[in-house]
Every structure is written in C-alpha cells, then in structure tokens.
Amino acid sequence: MKDIHDHIADIYSDTAQSSKESMWNNIEYQKPINNRVWWKLLVALLSLILALLSGYTHTVFQNNDRLKSKLETIGRKAHFYKQQSTQLGAKSIMTVHDTIYLKDTVYTSQLIATKSIAEPKIIHDTIIQPIIKRVFVRDTIYIDVEPMANSEIPNKVEENVPPEKPSAEEYPEEITLILGK
Amino acid sequence: MSVKELIELCKKGDQRAQRIFYDHYVNGVYAACRRYLGDHHEAEDAVSVVFSKAFVALGSFQFMHENGMKKWLRTISIRVCLNKLRNRVEFIERKDEVFQEEEAIDFSHHLREVLKEMETLPDGYRVILNMYALDGFTHAEIAEVLNISINTSKSQLRKARKLLKTRINPFAQKNNE
C-alpha cells in the first residue's frame, strides 16, 4: 500500500526521470567500495606524513615573520627560538612573558602561533585556554620580546603611552583589530 | 532478484546492481530532496550526493524490509539537504509566544498543489514543515537537529502552516484580516 511519500514520489517522478542520467553521472562513488576506500585512506595517510614532514615549520616561520614585523611597528623586538618537541603532534605554544604596549593598551600577554589559527595573535591569559585545545603543531617555539631602543623604532610608530586597561570583553576585538586576523 | 540480493551485490561493489538500485529508489530520493530544497537543480545535486553516501554506507546497512530501505535513504536525503541549507536558513527565536495545537493540513487533497506551494515557502518554514508534517519529527527532535529552541520550531511551523493555508486558499487571507 502506498504511503504519502510514495504519492509524492509519483508526483515528482517525471522530473526525476528526466534528470536521472545526469544525476547518475554526478554520483562520485561508482567504483568497487573496497578499492575506493583503501585508495582514499592511502592518499590521506601519505598527505598527513608529507604535512608532518614539511608543512609546519614553514607555516610557523612564515607567520613569525609577520608577527616580528608587527611587533616592530609597536616598538618591540622579538627573538624566536625553535625547539623540536619530544612528541609528534604535541601542543606547541610560543610564550612571552613581557608587557607589550599595543596602541593605547597595556597587556601582559602570551603569543601563540599555530597552523590551525591563521596567524600569530597576542592573546590575553584569560582566553588562552580554549585556543590551546585547538593547537596541533610539531615544534615548540619560544619568543623573547624586549623593548626596542628609541632609535630602532620605525618613524611611523606612534609613541607608546601606557593607558588604562580595558574591560575583559574588549580584548579579542581590539587585539584582532591591531594585529589583524 | 530480490531487493535483499540486490543490496548484497551493491555492497560488493557490483556496478550493474548499483544502477538497478539507483533506478529503483531515485524517484523517492529526488522527491525528498525537492521537498526540502524547493528547487529542481539543487535537488538534482543533492540526489547525487545522497546516492554517493548511500553506496558507501550500504556496507553497514542491515536490510529488514523494503520500507526500511526507503526510510534509510530518506534519512540520508534529509541530512544532505539540511547540510546544504544550514548556512542560509535563519530561525528567529520567539520566547514569548503561546502555542495552540493547530488543525493539521490535509495533505491527501490537492497534494500536488500543496507541494508546489511548499516550494515557495521561505527555507526555514519549508524545512520545519517537512520535518514535522511529513517526516514525523517531534519539535524536540527538530530543535536538536537544527540547534534551535522548541518554541522556535513551533513558531516556525505555525507560521509556515498559516502562510501555506493562505496561499492555497486566498479566501483564508481575507478571513484572517
């Protein structure tokens, strides 16, 4: 006995039949299941190995260059030290313990660079934890940040005047605004 | 060849069996996708995705009866369509509304006309109307699947039905005013 779905299928059957061949041709999977799945797994595994061998270092250091130049524009000099982690896939955090002057705001901040997050950001301690969970890179990188001598600061940089600390909810937007996404 | 034998061949990757399987179920899958997406071309794309997923997942499917297979394919269809709609459907939360049980739309009459009008409903209305009225989801289940509140689900359903009734019967609009 036909149910409502059968009736609806009948109503649309002419349209469905007219497109039947093109829909069939667009079905991705038309090969024996086992071969297809094994090939996908093999390709995924090889991609993963290649990424682990080559990808992370490049990405992290590409990001570090940008971070470095951004820090210089606010009058800070960054030194990067890379250290191989002991465990593959370990969480990797760059830490900075320093007071950084950002535009009109003073933060005691930590720096994080990851592959999963598009580029390094300066992030306040209070919001660091949720982000650490997403981190999955191979190298551990330590950064020292020190004040630059006045002569080293680019001319275009505004004078760093320590202002009042903003409220907690202002941190992410303001930081993103300054350092970009 | 029985449906059970056909499915066993499909599981082994027999392409001829897959084609027979596709021919047998394509109308139902297309209808489900069309109901949710309200558009022929989008439904076409969705059908291909549904069968791609079905052929891969068939290995874990335990065939009991024909209706079970139809329902299984319909479930995959709904998931595929909801994924396509996820980024474009917005549900507005209304927490202060009081809901009353409404008279259900009688789908047995003028089914073709009702389906045609359903395609013109806003995505959110159409999805919830389909899920609740045709696919037997409860408001609690809809709320969970769509990540909305139960009240929002009820509200959208009520508005969808009201709008649909108005469109099917233009005289109802005058009575409502």
Side-chain angles (χ1 to χ4, degrees):
Chain A
M1 188 179 166
K2 284 188 172 184
D3 64 10
I4 182 96
H5 295 288
D6 294 323
H7 288 299
I8 294 173
D10 287 345
I11 288 171
Y12 285 122
S13 65
D14 287 346
T15 323
Q17 289 297 312
S18 69
S19 302
K20 197 166 79 171
E21 289 310 314
S22 65
M23 292 190 293
W24 169 255
N25 290 331
N26 285 333
I27 295 175
E28 277 184 22
Y29 171 76
Q30 286 182 44
K31 292 178 181 173
I33 292 170
N34 291 336
N35 287 349
R36 177 86 175 195
V37 171
W38 280 117
W39 272 112
K40 278 189 173 177
L41 280 174
L42 188 63
V43 169
L45 190 64
L46 286 172
S47 306
L48 181 66
I49 290 168
L50 281 174
L52 286 172
L53 289 176
S54 62
Y56 285 124
T57 305
H58 175 71
T59 307
V60 168
F61 276 91
Q62 198 175 34
N63 287 339
N64 285 350
D65 288 340
R66 297 189 62 181
L67 178 64
K68 213 169 181 175
S69 71
K70 281 177 178 174
L71 283 171
E72 281 176 5
T73 63
I74 58 168
R76 315 299 290 179
K77 189 188 280 180
H79 303 286
F80 292 84
Y81 304 97
K82 193 180 88 167
Q83 183 182 322
Q84 197 78 9
S85 69
T86 53
Q87 190 182 355
L88 194 69
K91 289 173 182 174
S92 171
I93 305 299
M94 296 188 297
T95 54
V96 175
H97 300 286
D98 183 32
T99 303
I100 298 175
Y101 293 81
L102 292 176
K103 221 173 177 180
D104 298 321
T105 313
V106 183
Y107 295 100
T108 300
S109 305
Q110 289 181 296
L111 298 173
I112 296 182
T114 72
K115 183 175 167 56
S116 57
I117 298 169
E119 64 180 64
K121 294 176 180 174
I122 295 180
I123 295 168
H124 192 264
D125 296 34
T126 52
I127 59 168
I128 218 165
Q129 275 304 325
I131 293 168
I132 287 175
K133 287 175 187 167
R134 293 165 51 196
V135 172
F136 188 79
V137 292
R138 193 169 52 145
D139 303 318
T140 304
I141 294 168
Y142 298 95
I143 302 177
D144 287 341
V145 176
E146 62 177 47
M148 292 170 82
N150 282 340
S151 58
E152 292 179 297
I153 299 174
N155 290 334
K156 60 182 178 181
V157 177
E158 294 173 18
E159 195 177 347
N160 295 315
V161 181
E164 291 179 11
K165 196 173 178 180
S167 61
E169 56 268 23
E170 286 176 304
Y171 287 139
E173 289 80 9
E174 192 165 349
I175 292 166
T176 306
L177 188 68
I178 295 164
L179 291 184
K181 290 185 178 179
Chain B
M1 190 192 315
S2 70
V3 176
K4 193 170 183 177
E5 289 167 336
L6 181 67
I7 290 168
E8 287 307 315
L9 284 173
C10 287
K11 284 181 183 179
K12 290 174 185 168
D14 185 314
Q15 277 193 279
R16 283 201 306 181
Q18 287 175 353
R19 179 62 203 234
I20 296 168
F21 177 89
Y22 170 81
D23 287 344
H24 189 66
Y25 292 108
V26 68
N27 285 358
V29 170
Y30 175 85
C33 295
R34 178 77 180 254
R35 276 195 289 121
Y36 275 83
L37 298 168
D39 177 81
H40 170 63
H41 297 293
E42 287 201 73
E44 273 186 324
D45 292 343
V47 168
S48 301
V49 177
V50 170
F51 278 99
S52 301
K53 288 182 183 294
F55 286 141
V56 173
L58 258 180
S60 57
F61 179 79
Q62 293 295 320
F63 180 81
M64 303 294 281
H65 48 79
E66 173 74 358
N67 280 343
M69 173 52 78
K70 284 183 182 175
K71 197 173 176 186
W72 183 70
L73 285 171
R74 200 156 59 240
T75 305
I76 298 176
S77 307
I78 293 169
R79 276 193 208 146
V80 168
C81 293
L82 290 180
N83 269 338
K84 282 174 84 76
L85 289 165
R86 202 167 294 280
N87 292 331
R88 73 178 205 220
V89 181
E90 272 187 37
F91 298 98
I92 300 161
E93 295 275 348
R94 291 291 299 273
K95 293 176 180 170
D96 53 343
E97 287 191 63
V98 178
F99 299 98
Q100 296 173 340
E101 285 302 317
E102 286 185 76
E103 187 186 338
I105 292 171
D106 184 356
F107 280 104
S108 62
H109 295 296
H110 313 298
L111 183 57
R112 192 181 293 268
E113 186 190 356
V114 172
L115 289 169
K116 195 177 167 189
E117 289 301 333
M118 278 175 70
E119 289 181 0
T120 66
L121 290 175
D123 291 334
Y125 287 3
R126 192 176 59 250
V127 166
I128 289 178
L129 187 61
N130 267 304
M131 292 178 84
Y132 188 88
L134 289 174
D135 291 314
F137 286 79
T138 63
H139 282 299
E141 288 167 337
I142 294 170
E144 191 182 339
V145 171
L146 300 180
N147 197 22
I148 57 177
S149 71
I150 291 175
N151 270 357
T152 303
S153 173
K154 288 180 178 176
S155 160
Q156 297 275 306
L157 177 70
R158 188 177 60 80
K159 287 172 184 169
R161 282 179 162 163
K162 190 176 175 185
L163 185 58
L164 192 59
K165 282 175 183 170
T166 311
R167 286 181 179 177
I168 290 168
N169 178 11
F171 294 107
Q173 191 173 14
K174 288 179 183 171
N175 293 336
N176 285 336
E177 285 170 356

Tab-separated table of all heavy atoms in Angstrom, chain A residues 96-133:
chain	number	residue	atom	x	y	z
A	96	VAL	N	55.427	34.293	25.776
A	96	VAL	CA	56.115	35.555	26.004
A	96	VAL	C	55.679	36.063	27.355
A	96	VAL	O	54.480	36.088	27.646
A	96	VAL	CB	55.730	36.599	24.946
A	96	VAL	CG1	56.361	37.930	25.290
A	96	VAL	CG2	56.188	36.139	23.587
A	97	HIS	N	56.584	36.392	28.149
A	97	HIS	CA	56.214	36.969	29.440
A	97	HIS	C	56.792	38.363	29.479
A	97	HIS	O	57.949	38.568	29.794
A	97	HIS	CB	56.727	36.102	30.590
A	97	HIS	CG	56.167	34.727	30.521
A	97	HIS	ND1	54.858	34.441	30.843
A	97	HIS	CD2	56.704	33.572	30.126
A	97	HIS	CE1	54.632	33.163	30.665
A	97	HIS	NE2	55.736	32.592	30.224
A	98	ASP	N	56.005	39.251	29.084
A	98	ASP	CA	56.502	40.608	28.949
A	98	ASP	C	55.296	41.513	28.844
A	98	ASP	O	54.206	41.098	28.476
A	98	ASP	CB	57.349	40.713	27.671
A	98	ASP	CG	57.942	42.091	27.545
A	98	ASP	OD1	58.228	42.693	28.590
A	98	ASP	OD2	58.098	42.564	26.415
A	99	THR	N	55.510	42.730	29.149
A	99	THR	CA	54.427	43.686	28.974
A	99	THR	C	54.554	44.306	27.594
A	99	THR	O	55.599	44.833	27.240
A	99	THR	CB	54.503	44.794	30.040
A	99	THR	OG1	54.468	44.159	31.302
A	99	THR	CG2	53.346	45.741	29.902
A	100	ILE	N	53.538	44.187	26.836
A	100	ILE	CA	53.584	44.697	25.472
A	100	ILE	C	52.634	45.880	25.342
A	100	ILE	O	51.491	45.811	25.755
A	100	ILE	CB	53.176	43.598	24.475
A	100	ILE	CG1	54.190	42.449	24.571
A	100	ILE	CG2	53.148	44.137	23.054
A	100	ILE	CD1	53.812	41.276	23.730
A	101	TYR	N	53.131	46.901	24.737
A	101	TYR	CA	52.315	48.083	24.554
A	101	TYR	C	51.640	48.016	23.192
A	101	TYR	O	52.303	47.956	22.167
A	101	TYR	CB	53.182	49.346	24.630
A	101	TYR	CG	53.743	49.561	26.004
A	101	TYR	CD1	54.864	48.883	26.425
A	101	TYR	CD2	53.122	50.443	26.875
A	101	TYR	CE1	55.374	49.062	27.690
A	101	TYR	CE2	53.625	50.635	28.149
A	101	TYR	CZ	54.758	49.944	28.553
A	101	TYR	OH	55.242	50.131	29.805
A	102	LEU	N	50.364	47.961	23.198
A	102	LEU	CA	49.626	47.896	21.947
A	102	LEU	C	48.754	49.133	21.841
A	102	LEU	O	47.802	49.282	22.591
A	102	LEU	CB	48.720	46.672	21.906
A	102	LEU	CG	49.409	45.310	21.832
A	102	LEU	CD1	48.377	44.219	21.905
A	102	LEU	CD2	50.183	45.204	20.543
A	103	LYS	N	49.131	49.977	20.939
A	103	LYS	CA	48.354	51.196	20.719
A	103	LYS	C	48.107	51.890	22.057
A	103	LYS	O	49.043	52.319	22.705
A	103	LYS	CB	47.040	50.867	20.022
A	103	LYS	CG	46.695	51.876	18.949
A	103	LYS	CD	45.485	51.424	18.182
A	103	LYS	CE	45.111	52.465	17.168
A	103	LYS	NZ	43.939	52.026	16.409
A	104	ASP	N	46.880	51.905	22.524
A	104	ASP	CA	46.601	52.607	23.768
A	104	ASP	C	46.431	51.666	24.948
A	104	ASP	O	45.876	52.017	25.965
A	104	ASP	CB	45.328	53.437	23.617
A	104	ASP	CG	45.491	54.484	22.560
A	104	ASP	OD1	46.587	55.070	22.485
A	104	ASP	OD2	44.544	54.706	21.801
A	105	THR	N	46.854	50.448	24.787
A	105	THR	CA	46.520	49.456	25.795
A	105	THR	C	47.765	48.730	26.281
A	105	THR	O	48.676	48.486	25.515
A	105	THR	CB	45.561	48.416	25.201
A	105	THR	OG1	44.538	49.116	24.521
A	105	THR	CG2	44.958	47.540	26.275
A	106	VAL	N	47.778	48.374	27.506
A	106	VAL	CA	48.898	47.593	28.035
A	106	VAL	C	48.426	46.181	28.328
A	106	VAL	O	47.394	45.974	28.947
A	106	VAL	CB	49.408	48.188	29.365
A	106	VAL	CG1	50.618	47.395	29.856
A	106	VAL	CG2	49.779	49.624	29.179
A	107	TYR	N	49.146	45.222	27.856
A	107	TYR	CA	48.798	43.832	28.142
A	107	TYR	C	50.022	43.095	28.639
A	107	TYR	O	51.113	43.276	28.120
A	107	TYR	CB	48.327	43.096	26.880
A	107	TYR	CG	47.067	43.618	26.300
A	107	TYR	CD1	47.103	44.462	25.216
A	107	TYR	CD2	45.849	43.259	26.834
A	107	TYR	CE1	45.939	44.937	24.667
A	107	TYR	CE2	44.681	43.726	26.289
A	107	TYR	CZ	44.728	44.568	25.202
A	107	TYR	OH	43.580	45.027	24.659
A	108	THR	N	49.789	42.202	29.551
A	108	THR	CA	50.791	41.175	29.803
A	108	THR	C	50.276	39.978	29.027
A	108	THR	O	49.229	39.434	29.329
A	108	THR	CB	50.884	40.844	31.292
A	108	THR	OG1	51.249	42.018	31.953
A	108	THR	CG2	51.912	39.768	31.535
A	109	SER	N	50.997	39.615	28.021
A	109	SER	CA	50.390	38.736	27.022
A	109	SER	C	51.197	37.487	26.763
A	109	SER	O	52.354	37.371	27.140
A	109	SER	CB	50.226	39.478	25.706
A	109	SER	OG	49.511	40.646	25.922
A	110	GLN	N	50.560	36.577	26.083
A	110	GLN	CA	51.244	35.399	25.590
A	110	GLN	C	51.017	35.330	24.090
A	110	GLN	O	49.959	35.693	23.587
A	110	GLN	CB	50.683	34.153	26.255
A	110	GLN	CG	51.090	34.065	27.714
A	110	GLN	CD	50.551	32.822	28.340
A	110	GLN	OE1	49.354	32.670	28.446
A	110	GLN	NE2	51.430	31.943	28.740
A	111	LEU	N	52.003	34.884	23.397
A	111	LEU	CA	51.892	34.784	21.945
A	111	LEU	C	51.682	33.341	21.544
A	111	LEU	O	52.318	32.439	22.069
A	111	LEU	CB	53.178	35.287	21.294
A	111	LEU	CG	53.513	36.739	21.542
A	111	LEU	CD1	54.880	37.037	20.974
A	111	LEU	CD2	52.494	37.630	20.894
A	112	ILE	N	50.820	33.153	20.632
A	112	ILE	CA	50.553	31.794	20.169
A	112	ILE	C	50.688	31.752	18.656
A	112	ILE	O	50.161	32.598	17.958
A	112	ILE	CB	49.124	31.361	20.520
A	112	ILE	CG1	48.964	31.319	22.020
A	112	ILE	CG2	48.814	29.992	19.935
A	112	ILE	CD1	47.603	30.857	22.444
A	113	ALA	N	51.400	30.790	18.159
A	113	ALA	CA	51.431	30.592	16.708
A	113	ALA	C	51.045	29.162	16.423
A	113	ALA	O	51.580	28.231	17.006
A	113	ALA	CB	52.810	30.863	16.161
A	114	THR	N	50.139	28.987	15.578
A	114	THR	CA	49.721	27.629	15.247
A	114	THR	C	49.435	27.555	13.771
A	114	THR	O	49.281	28.561	13.098
A	114	THR	CB	48.430	27.226	15.976
A	114	THR	OG1	47.365	27.936	15.371
A	114	THR	CG2	48.484	27.535	17.439
A	115	LYS	N	49.329	26.329	13.298
A	115	LYS	CA	48.926	26.159	11.908
A	115	LYS	C	47.416	26.309	11.784
A	115	LYS	O	46.907	26.830	10.815
A	115	LYS	CB	49.354	24.782	11.411
A	115	LYS	CG	49.052	24.547	9.954
A	115	LYS	CD	49.625	23.224	9.541
A	115	LYS	CE	49.106	22.781	8.192
A	115	LYS	NZ	49.334	23.750	7.141
A	116	SER	N	46.712	25.847	12.820
A	116	SER	CA	45.261	25.873	12.727
A	116	SER	C	44.705	27.289	12.859
A	116	SER	O	43.676	27.616	12.323
A	116	SER	CB	44.646	24.972	13.789
A	116	SER	OG	45.086	25.372	15.056
A	117	ILE	N	45.403	28.116	13.587
A	117	ILE	CA	44.971	29.510	13.651
A	117	ILE	C	45.760	30.240	12.582
A	117	ILE	O	46.972	30.040	12.461
A	117	ILE	CB	45.263	30.090	15.046
A	117	ILE	CG1	44.470	29.311	16.082
A	117	ILE	CG2	44.910	31.559	15.100
A	117	ILE	CD1	44.869	29.609	17.480
A	118	ALA	N	45.108	31.054	11.830
A	118	ALA	CA	45.704	31.581	10.598
A	118	ALA	C	47.066	32.252	10.812
A	118	ALA	O	47.979	32.043	10.053
A	118	ALA	CB	44.746	32.542	9.936
A	119	GLU	N	47.209	33.041	11.818
A	119	GLU	CA	48.487	33.670	12.049
A	119	GLU	C	48.633	33.998	13.527
A	119	GLU	O	47.663	33.958	14.278
A	119	GLU	CB	48.635	34.918	11.194
A	119	GLU	CG	47.643	36.003	11.516
A	119	GLU	CD	47.871	37.201	10.623
A	119	GLU	OE1	47.709	37.070	9.404
A	119	GLU	OE2	48.195	38.257	11.160
A	120	PRO	N	49.810	34.302	13.969
A	120	PRO	CA	50.019	34.522	15.397
A	120	PRO	C	49.172	35.669	15.919
A	120	PRO	O	48.939	36.658	15.236
A	120	PRO	CB	51.496	34.889	15.483
A	120	PRO	CG	52.086	34.342	14.249
A	120	PRO	CD	51.034	34.432	13.205
A	121	LYS	N	48.750	35.528	17.110
A	121	LYS	CA	47.959	36.576	17.733
A	121	LYS	C	48.476	36.811	19.140
A	121	LYS	O	49.031	35.915	19.751
A	121	LYS	CB	46.494	36.163	17.813
A	121	LYS	CG	45.843	36.033	16.478
A	121	LYS	CD	44.445	35.523	16.646
A	121	LYS	CE	43.794	35.384	15.275
A	121	LYS	NZ	42.481	34.772	15.350
A	122	ILE	N	48.254	37.978	19.610
A	122	ILE	CA	48.566	38.242	21.008
A	122	ILE	C	47.272	38.081	21.776
A	122	ILE	O	46.264	38.707	21.479
A	122	ILE	CB	49.124	39.661	21.186
A	122	ILE	CG1	50.461	39.734	20.462
A	122	ILE	CG2	49.269	39.987	22.660
A	122	ILE	CD1	51.131	41.071	20.560
A	123	ILE	N	47.330	37.227	22.721
A	123	ILE	CA	46.084	36.833	23.367
A	123	ILE	C	46.229	36.913	24.869
A	123	ILE	O	47.240	36.493	25.430
A	123	ILE	CB	45.717	35.398	22.951
A	123	ILE	CG1	45.441	35.394	21.453
A	123	ILE	CG2	44.490	34.905	23.701
A	123	ILE	CD1	45.361	34.056	20.866
A	124	HIS	N	45.242	37.450	25.477
A	124	HIS	CA	45.313	37.601	26.925
A	124	HIS	C	45.148	36.253	27.609
A	124	HIS	O	44.483	35.366	27.103
A	124	HIS	CB	44.207	38.554	27.390
A	124	HIS	CG	44.384	38.974	28.799
A	124	HIS	ND1	43.752	38.348	29.823
A	124	HIS	CD2	45.156	39.931	29.340
A	124	HIS	CE1	44.121	38.922	30.952
A	124	HIS	NE2	44.961	39.889	30.695
A	125	ASP	N	45.745	36.138	28.765
A	125	ASP	CA	45.713	34.875	29.507
A	125	ASP	C	44.312	34.304	29.670
A	125	ASP	O	44.123	33.109	29.631
A	125	ASP	CB	46.291	35.084	30.913
A	125	ASP	CG	47.746	35.478	30.829
A	125	ASP	OD1	48.144	36.132	29.942
A	125	ASP	OD2	48.497	35.144	31.614
A	126	THR	N	43.349	35.166	29.836
A	126	THR	CA	42.005	34.681	30.154
A	126	THR	C	41.367	33.931	28.993
A	126	THR	O	40.479	33.126	29.201
A	126	THR	CB	41.079	35.856	30.520
A	126	THR	OG1	41.174	36.802	29.479
A	126	THR	CG2	41.471	36.450	31.842
A	127	ILE	N	41.802	34.179	27.787
A	127	ILE	CA	41.169	33.465	26.681
A	127	ILE	C	42.127	32.491	26.005
A	127	ILE	O	41.881	31.994	24.934
A	127	ILE	CB	40.576	34.430	25.627
A	127	ILE	CG1	41.689	35.314	25.079
A	127	ILE	CG2	39.454	35.230	26.192
A	127	ILE	CD1	41.253	36.069	23.841
A	128	ILE	N	43.217	32.225	26.653
A	128	ILE	CA	44.217	31.379	26.011
A	128	ILE	C	43.821	29.909	26.024
A	128	ILE	O	44.070	29.180	25.085
A	128	ILE	CB	45.578	31.607	26.678
A	128	ILE	CG1	46.664	31.576	25.618
A	128	ILE	CG2	45.890	30.573	27.749
A	128	ILE	CD1	47.968	32.127	26.115
A	129	GLN	N	43.158	29.477	27.060
A	129	GLN	CA	42.901	28.052	27.218
A	129	GLN	C	42.090	27.417	26.085
A	129	GLN	O	42.492	26.401	25.555
A	129	GLN	CB	42.227	27.781	28.572
A	129	GLN	CG	43.208	27.635	29.719
A	129	GLN	CD	44.241	26.557	29.483
A	129	GLN	OE1	43.967	25.544	28.887
A	129	GLN	NE2	45.471	26.792	29.908
A	130	PRO	N	40.948	27.995	25.718
A	130	PRO	CA	40.169	27.341	24.655
A	130	PRO	C	40.945	27.216	23.365
A	130	PRO	O	40.718	26.307	22.594
A	130	PRO	CB	38.969	28.280	24.466
A	130	PRO	CG	38.969	29.162	25.632
A	130	PRO	CD	40.328	29.193	26.202
A	131	ILE	N	41.852	28.123	23.129
A	131	ILE	CA	42.585	28.101	21.879
A	131	ILE	C	43.672	27.039	21.921
A	131	ILE	O	43.938	26.366	20.941
A	131	ILE	CB	43.153	29.496	21.579
A	131	ILE	CG1	41.977	30.423	21.302
A	131	ILE	CG2	44.096	29.464	20.393
A	131	ILE	CD1	42.325	31.853	21.264
A	132	ILE	N	44.260	26.841	23.067
A	132	ILE	CA	45.310	25.820	23.184
A	132	ILE	C	44.774	24.463	22.767
A	132	ILE	O	45.457	23.681	22.131
A	132	ILE	CB	45.838	25.776	24.635
A	132	ILE	CG1	46.686	27.011	24.897
A	132	ILE	CG2	46.681	24.526	24.864
A	132	ILE	CD1	47.156	27.133	26.304
A	133	LYS	N	43.542	24.207	23.077
A	133	LYS	CA	42.967	22.907	22.748
A	133	LYS	C	42.968	22.638	21.240
A	133	LYS	O	42.928	21.509	20.804
A	133	LYS	CB	41.544	22.807	23.282
A	133	LYS	CG	41.518	22.661	24.791
A	133	LYS	CD	40.112	22.694	25.304
A	133	LYS	CE	40.133	22.710	26.823
A	133	LYS	NZ	38.847	23.042	27.397
